[in-house]
Amino acid sequence: MIYEKNAIIPASMCDATTKLSVISIFQLVEDAVTDLMADLHIDGITAMREYGAMWVFVKNAIHILRRPEWREMYIIRSYISSFSAVKLLIDTEILSGTDRSPLARSRLELCALDLNTGNIRKASTVGITPDTQCFQTEEGPEFSRFPKKESEIIDKVRVLSTNIDYCSHTNNIEYVRFILNTYSVKDLAENEIDKIEIHYGMQTFENDILSIGKYSEDDYDFFSVNSERGTAVECKIDFKR
C-alpha cells in the first residue's frame, strides 16, 4: 500500500525563515513511515507487543528540493520500496499540494532488533512476508559512503528526558537537532541544505554525554556523534551551491 496524506504547513513546523524547517522534514518523514507501518500492522508498538522486537533506523537520506512556506499545502506519500532478509527500505515523498511537484524525498533503511538479546531479527519474524507489496520509486536519494576523516569536537550535549522515545533510547530526530544546533540562525538562513544523510550506529540513553565532532569540505560538513561507548551517529550535510 501507499500511505498518502494532505495537510498545511503549520507555524510550529517552521524555522526563523517561516519555511518548513529541516527538523520538521525529518518529523514528517518519521510520522509518515510510522503511520504506513501501522496501517500494515508492522509498526514499532506491534513489533514490541506481538514479536518481542523493535524497529530501529539504520540510515536516512533526505534530498531537499524546496522548503515550503508557512500555510502552504503539501502532500506526503510513503511506501515500502524494497526489503531483504533483515532490512526494510521505505521511501517518502513530500509534494506540493498545488501541482504535486517534489519538495523533498527520503529513503529510510530500518531493521528489527530482538528486545531480549539486542540481535538483529529477520524481517520475516516481525510481520514482513514474501508478498509484502513494494513500489519502485522513480527517483530517490542513494546512500553514500562517508569520508573517514578525523573531526574536531565542537560541542557536547547531555541526553535529557524529552530526547527519549518509547523505545527508551534517544529519538532519531534528536541527533539531527543536536547537529543542526551547532549552526547559527544566520548560518542556516544563508546556506540552504541540499541533502542530509544520517547513519545510526548505536543507541544512546538518558543522561549520556554526547560529543559532536565536525569535519568540513567546501561543499559539505561531516559530523560524528559519540558517546563513551562509541559512535552513535554519523551525518553528512551537503549545501546548495
Side-chain angles (χ1 to χ4, degrees):
M1 67 167 293
I2 296 178
Y3 171 84
E4 185 167 316
K5 176 183 176 181
N6 298 278
I8 297 174
I9 302 296
S12 62
M13 285 191 168
C14 294
D15 62 11
T17 68
T18 70
K19 295 178 181 178
L20 180 67
S21 71
V22 175
I23 289 286
S24 294
I25 293 174
F26 275 85
Q27 290 172 329
L28 287 176
V29 169
E30 183 175 278
D31 287 344
V33 167
T34 52
D35 283 345
L36 167 70
M37 295 177 74
D39 289 346
L40 294 170
H41 202 63
I42 58 170
D43 57 278
I45 300 298
T46 299
M48 286 184 167
R49 292 175 177 171
E50 298 187 12
Y51 304 119
M54 66 176 176
W55 287 102
V56 294
F57 289 8
V58 179
K59 299 176 184 177
N60 192 5
I62 296 182
H63 182 200
I64 303 171
L65 292 93
R66 179 177 72 83
R67 293 191 295 129
E69 304 273 355
W70 170 58
R71 297 288 296 169
E72 187 171 337
M73 292 286 299
Y74 72 92
I75 302 162
I76 190 161
R77 306 171 76 246
S78 194
Y79 47 87
I80 296 174
S81 55
S82 69
F83 64 89
S84 67
V86 296
K87 72 180 181 182
L88 183 66
L89 287 183
I90 298 181
D91 284 16
T92 302
E93 304 167 353
I94 303 175
L95 309 173
S96 166
T98 55
D99 60 7
R100 296 183 72 91
S101 60
L103 302 174
R105 296 187 179 97
S106 161
R107 177 158 292 162
L108 177 65
E109 179 182 322
L110 306 92
C111 73
L113 300 182
D114 188 275
L115 289 179
N116 293 321
T117 67
N119 294 331
I120 295 175
R121 290 270 294 270
K122 288 186 176 181
S124 59
T125 69
V126 288
I128 302 298
T129 64
D131 59 353
T132 295
Q133 193 173 19
C134 295
F135 297 86
Q136 294 299 318
T137 181
E138 291 184 7
E139 186 178 354
E142 299 294 334
F143 298 126
S144 57
R145 184 169 297 181
F146 284 166
K148 298 300 181 184
K149 300 283 188 178
E150 185 175 349
S151 56
E152 176 187 358
I153 301 300
I154 59 169
D155 198 9
K156 290 190 176 183
V157 295
R158 181 188 295 274
V159 178
L160 301 176
S161 59
T162 58
N163 305 130
I164 302 299
D165 63 20
Y166 71 92
C167 294
S168 300
H169 62 206
T170 308
N171 182 266
N172 306 285
I173 296 170
E174 295 305 297
Y175 296 107
V176 183
R177 190 184 307 278
F178 297 153
I179 289 167
L180 291 181
N181 277 341
T182 66
Y183 296 100
S184 68
V185 172
K186 185 173 183 289
D187 289 336
L188 293 175
E190 294 181 352
N191 299 278
E192 280 284 337
I193 292 174
D194 180 64
K195 182 182 178 184
I196 178 167
E197 181 176 351
I198 185 163
H199 295 185
Y200 300 94
M202 61 171 55
Q203 301 174 73
T204 63
F205 306 93
E206 186 176 7
N207 291 320
D208 279 355
I209 304 296
L210 306 182
S211 299
I212 302 176
K214 181 181 180 181
Y215 167 82
S216 296
E217 288 284 358
D218 290 341
D219 56 350
Y220 72 83
D221 289 337
F222 176 77
F223 295 87
S224 61
V225 181
N226 302 281
S227 73
E228 62 181 10
R229 295 180 296 279
T231 300
V233 155
E234 292 181 311
C235 177
K236 182 170 177 279
I237 298 179
D238 294 276
F239 295 94
K240 298 183 189 294
R241 297 301 181 196

